[in-house]
Amino acid sequence: MYFLAIETSCDETAAAVFTEEPRILANVIASQTDLHARFGGVVPEVAARAHLQRLLPVIDEALAKAQIKLDQIGCVAVLNTPGLVGALLVGVSDAKTLALALEVPLVSANHIDAHIYACRLAAGKDIFPCVGLVISGGHTSVFHCRSALDFALLGATTDDAAGEAFDKVANILGLGFPGGPAVERAAHSGNPGAYRFPRSFLKEDRLDFSFSGLKTAVLYAVHGQGATSGGVLTATKAADLAASFQQAVVDVLVTKAKQALEQTRLKRLAVGGGVIANRTLRQALEKLAQENGFELFIPTTALCTDNAAMAAIAVEKFRLKQWAPLDLDAIPAYQTS
Ligand code: KG4
Ligand code: ZN
């Protein structure tokens, strides 16, 4: 039994083939970074048009890599929420058409839940129940994951997502797009103690996040309070700012993960989303896990950022015969499943 999965929520056109185990046979991602770089961020219309051009070749490549033919597919899965509506529509329309033509079930899944399921894939064993933390470009959310399909939201960002803050700070520091890896590179030679940036809600029990004030603090450290341009930014200063900013984000995420584990009394933490590709964050969470005796699940780098393999969460729905209707919609806003 083979599954074909599609992901087009933002700026990665992705298709994957997996078995019911689930075992990944192919995971193909066509990144659009080159198309959006000159705009300094993802342009929704450009993303949707690029998905249209690239999705079918990406699906062909996934099938070729998995060494199977289209008519061997027994189920089509699609991540239909949340994301950019035009981008999502391309994947959803394609998935519906394929399911109809192949006369196989269609299964839809939530992109955020799938980011946590990437930990299950990487672990190769059951990871539930666990605390699930999703840190991506659009979301920073913490869940009590009772099972693969039963997530209760414990807290989320009240403004910017962690990845969004990385992207905006990269912009402020003139480090380019995408921001996360650029800030991480710059931070490597910087001093994380050079600037004392704010860490929101750190001393409160609530499991919410706020990264907007932190981003503004970096802006003021560069240009001076109240100004939006001017000021000289040397490479050393940029490195110190990047390192101090990164440390503030890491401190907040580590503290909130610890609080969530304490409040739920769970002994497993699964972390997904692009920001967990960050090595300083990975190391800090690994240290926390060792000191506090809980199991930490982090996906391999290829499964951290957007991909279609994480749509293997659809296998769990398939087993319960939770098919999606052929009038399935693309839903841009996040809704708890
Ligand atoms: O999960 P993802 O690929 O897409 C969304 O669903 O949003 O996450 C993308 C985000 C971007 O904001 C990017 O800057 C950030 O993940 N990111 C990183 C790193 N690699 C990607 N942030 C910090 N350090 C990194 N190494
Ligand atoms: Zn994502």
Side-chain angles (χ1 to χ4, degrees):
M1 168 68 199
Y2 299 108
F3 292 73
L4 172 68
I6 294 170
E7 145 67 23
T8 61
S9 69
C10 190
D11 61 340
E12 321 281 357
T13 313
V17 176
F18 42 83
T19 64
E20 202 180 337
E21 241 173 291
R23 189 163 59 87
I24 306 301
L25 301 180
N27 183 23
V28 177
I29 303 164
S31 171
Q32 302 178 6
T33 304
D34 51 332
L35 295 180
H36 302 285
R38 70 189 173 103
F39 302 108
V42 177
V43 182
E45 187 63 18
V46 172
R49 284 170 193 268
H51 286 313
L52 262 180
Q53 289 168 340
R54 297 170 183 204
L55 185 53
L56 295 183
V58 163
I59 290 174
D60 281 342
E61 193 179 327
L63 290 168
K65 281 206 167 135
Q67 294 186 316
I68 65 158
K69 300 253 179 295
L70 192 57
D71 60 12
Q72 288 176 270
I73 294 295
C75 175
V76 178
V78 64
L79 298 175
N80 71 317
T81 184
L84 304 170
V85 71
L88 285 169
L89 262 176
V90 177
V92 169
S93 309
D94 237 66
K96 289 197 287 195
T97 310
L98 279 170
L100 182 70
L102 296 171
E103 296 181 20
V104 298
L106 175 71
V107 176
S108 64
N110 181 305
H111 180 102
I112 303 300
D113 299 357
H115 267 307
I116 291 178
Y117 199 79
C119 294
R120 157 73 183 83
L121 277 180
K125 62 172 188 177
D126 194 16
I127 62 164
F128 302 102
C130 65
V131 166
L133 177 62
V134 177
I135 25 180
S136 69
H139 295 84
T140 305
S141 309
V142 59
F143 299 89
H144 180 159
C145 308
R146 297 190 191 91
S147 71
L149 299 178
D150 183 4
F151 291 10
L153 186 67
L154 300 175
T157 185
T158 53
D159 41 55
D160 290 354
E164 186 180 357
F166 266 95
D167 294 333
K168 288 176 175 169
V169 164
N171 205 286
I172 293 167
L173 299 180
L175 298 173
F177 172 84
V183 170
E184 178 171 14
R185 267 194 307 278
H188 201 64
S189 55
N191 171 11
Y195 295 85
R196 184 71 200 161
F197 287 133
R199 286 141 169 86
S200 297
F201 308 142
L202 211 60
K203 295 197 169 64
E204 295 178 37
D205 287 338
R206 63 191 281 201
L207 295 172
D208 291 324
F209 305 85
S210 166
F211 295 106
S212 164
L214 170 59
K215 168 198 67 189
T216 309
V218 176
L219 182 74
Y220 288 163
V222 174
H223 300 297
Q225 198 152 354
T228 52
S229 62
V232 181
L233 188 60
T234 61
T236 312
K237 187 174 176 184
D240 283 347
L241 286 164
S244 303
F245 160 78
Q246 180 175 267
Q247 193 57 50
V249 176
V250 168
D251 287 352
V252 167
L253 293 171
V254 168
T255 305
K256 289 296 157 192
K258 186 166 185 270
Q259 287 177 341
L261 286 158
E262 284 166 0
Q263 288 178 25
T264 56
R265 294 169 194 269
L266 290 165
K267 289 280 174 207
R268 291 172 179 156
L269 174 67
V271 191
V275 181
I276 193 56
N278 186 285
R279 267 158 301 184
T280 305
L281 177 60
R282 280 175 180 254
Q283 284 160 9
L285 286 170
E286 277 157 12
K287 184 161 171 275
L288 182 78
Q290 268 170 12
E291 287 171 0
N292 293 271
F294 63 83
E295 250 184 306
L296 176 66
F297 298 100
I298 296 179
T300 51
T301 314
L303 292 177
C304 290
T305 42
D306 287 348
N307 65 86
M310 66 189 190
I313 193 170
V315 169
E316 309 279 345
K317 289 189 163 181
F318 179 85
R319 288 188 185 129
L320 300 174
K321 294 194 167 44
Q322 290 183 5
W323 319 140
L326 284 177
D327 62 354
L328 178 76
D329 238 339
I331 304 168
Y334 176 75
Q335 298 169 333
T336 43
S337 46

